[in-house]
């Protein structure tokens, strides 16, 4: 996952329409995604992203300026959202955490127009690219969230608000001392389970085998989820998840990609 939060843009290049001159301290996209929508309001014990710098192209900048007020959502943690109001209909809603440049998200939205996708990332070029792809493809079932997905889940969604959750290629945090920063942990799964309807599908994918093994162990042990695989193992890549360029490059290098498909079990009843 990626992000350009709190990173100043490079100085404008002469004649570069994507980088118009602006006064010091003036936001790059006044009506676009905020640099840190939640500010310091919430303690962040888990983060759903890892910051990085990246350049916004002219097309991405234009999409952000025009489309963010229509299809964008800043995750500020200050209100509870109604998905039916956000999308303008009551179709099923799937949350996708971390969408990169948005190509796979756009293809999944086009392939299943009756499912709404709330795609969350903090990577400004990716946000602009997905908005542009959605407009180009007439994908009215896509909304783009900016900020920490943990805050979205914890503060801004009601119980049973989601019909699915997708976490594709999250940061593997390969060093042992950083494993606690991985997203797929028991605490995160408990939070996610509270927002997923019974029967909702949690779909994870990673090309980092040690992380895949941890995901499988943590998900198998969690009481709110059950593996859709009778053998209790990894699943083949389902047809609805497109093969991404990043994934294809990894496969060419001999990487092994593992998918995990778990369902939210029915709510347990006390007594």
């Amino acid at each position: 996952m990626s992000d350009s939060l709190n990173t100043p843009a490079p100085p404008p290049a002469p004649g570069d329409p994507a980088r118009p001159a602006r006064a010091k301290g003036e936001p790059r996209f006044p009506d676009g995604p905020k640099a840190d929508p939640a500010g310091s309001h919430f303690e962040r014990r888990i983060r759903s992203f890892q910051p990085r710098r990246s350049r916004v192209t002219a097309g991405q900048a234009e999409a952000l300026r025009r489309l963010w007020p229509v299809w964008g959502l800043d995750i500020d943690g200050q209100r509870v959202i109604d998905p039916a109001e956000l999308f303008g209909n009551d179709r099923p809603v799937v949350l996708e955490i971390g969408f990169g440049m948005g190509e796979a998200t756009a293809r999944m939205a086009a392939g299943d127009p009756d499912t709404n996708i709330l795609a969350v990332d903090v990577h400004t070029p990716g946000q602009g690219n997905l908005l542009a792809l959605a407009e180009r493809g007439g994908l009215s079932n896509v909304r783009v969230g900016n900020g920490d997905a943990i805050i979205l889940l914890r503060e801004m969604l009601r119980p049973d608000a989601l019909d699915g959750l997708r976490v594709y290629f999250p940061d593997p945090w390969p060093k042992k001392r950083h494993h606690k920063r991985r997203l797929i942990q028991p605490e995160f799964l408990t939070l996610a389970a509270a927002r997923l309807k019974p029967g909702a599908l949690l779909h994870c994918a990673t090309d980092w085998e040690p992380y895949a093994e941890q995901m499988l162990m943590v998900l198998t042990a969690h009481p709110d989820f059950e593996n859709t695989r009778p053998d209790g193992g990894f699943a083949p890549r389902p047809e609805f998840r497109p093969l991404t360029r990043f994934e294809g490059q990894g496969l060419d290098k001999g990487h092994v990609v593992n998918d995990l498909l778990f369902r939210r079990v029915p709510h347990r009843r006390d007594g």
Side-chain angles (χ1 to χ4, degrees):
M1 280 173 277
S2 53
D3 151 38
S4 58
L5 286 181
N6 300 324
T7 55
D16 184 352
R19 303 185 186 284
R22 62 184 186 279
K24 183 178 180 180
E26 180 184 348
R28 185 166 184 191
F29 305 106
D31 296 320
K34 293 182 173 58
D36 189 3
S40 59
H41 296 296
F42 303 99
E43 179 185 5
R44 299 178 186 181
R45 296 186 180 181
I46 319 171
R47 293 187 80 107
S48 59
F49 55 86
Q50 165 69 359
R52 79 174 184 190
R53 294 174 183 269
S54 195
R55 184 177 183 274
V56 178
T57 68
Q60 293 160 3
E62 177 62 17
L64 285 166
R65 291 189 184 98
R66 289 190 302 103
L67 301 174
W68 186 262
V70 183
W71 290 337
L73 171 70
D74 273 314
I75 299 170
D76 57 13
Q78 301 299 303
R79 58 195 173 100
V80 176
I81 63 172
D82 178 359
E85 182 178 343
L86 181 67
F87 286 93
N89 58 64
D90 58 359
R91 294 170 183 160
V93 177
V94 171
L95 172 64
E96 182 179 359
I97 299 179
F99 55 80
M101 295 305 293
E103 292 99 337
T105 304
R107 288 169 63 185
M108 288 187 290
D112 186 7
D114 291 329
T115 295
N116 295 323
I117 301 177
L118 174 53
V120 174
D121 209 309
V122 282
H123 185 220
T124 310
Q127 293 167 348
N129 200 58
L130 179 53
L131 287 169
L133 290 171
E135 181 183 50
R136 194 177 307 147
L139 306 177
S140 60
N141 57 330
V142 173
R143 297 293 181 271
V144 181
N146 168 55
D148 194 334
I150 301 298
I151 292 176
L152 174 70
L153 285 165
R154 192 178 63 208
E155 309 291 342
M156 299 180 68
L157 291 174
R158 294 185 177 91
D160 295 354
L162 299 173
D163 298 88
L165 174 60
R166 296 168 181 167
V167 184
Y168 298 153
F169 304 100
D171 195 314
W173 293 103
K175 295 182 180 178
K176 187 173 181 180
R177 69 177 183 272
H178 292 156
H179 286 185
K180 62 185 178 181
R181 301 183 186 180
R182 289 175 172 174
L183 181 63
I184 305 302
Q185 306 274 8
E187 180 183 355
F188 170 77
L189 294 178
T190 297
L191 174 61
R195 302 295 178 257
L196 288 167
K197 295 175 183 175
L201 188 69
L202 169 58
H203 183 193
C204 302
T206 180
D207 65 336
W208 191 260
E209 289 187 83
Y211 194 9
E213 295 289 348
Q214 179 191 322
M215 287 181 178
L216 182 61
M217 179 182 67
V218 172
L219 277 161
T220 300
H222 201 285
D224 291 331
F225 293 95
E226 62 183 6
N227 200 335
T228 63
R229 293 286 297 174
D231 61 4
F234 299 110
R237 177 177 62 88
E239 290 186 3
F240 67 80
R241 183 176 77 75
L243 184 70
T244 66
R245 180 174 51 185
F246 166 82
E247 184 179 359
Q249 291 171 348
L251 292 171
D252 289 342
K253 296 175 182 177
H255 295 182
V256 175
V257 176
N258 286 297
D259 284 72
L260 301 95
L261 294 167
F262 278 70
R263 288 202 183 278
R264 172 69 164 100
V265 302
H267 296 310
R268 297 185 301 275
R269 297 182 182 274
D270 296 333

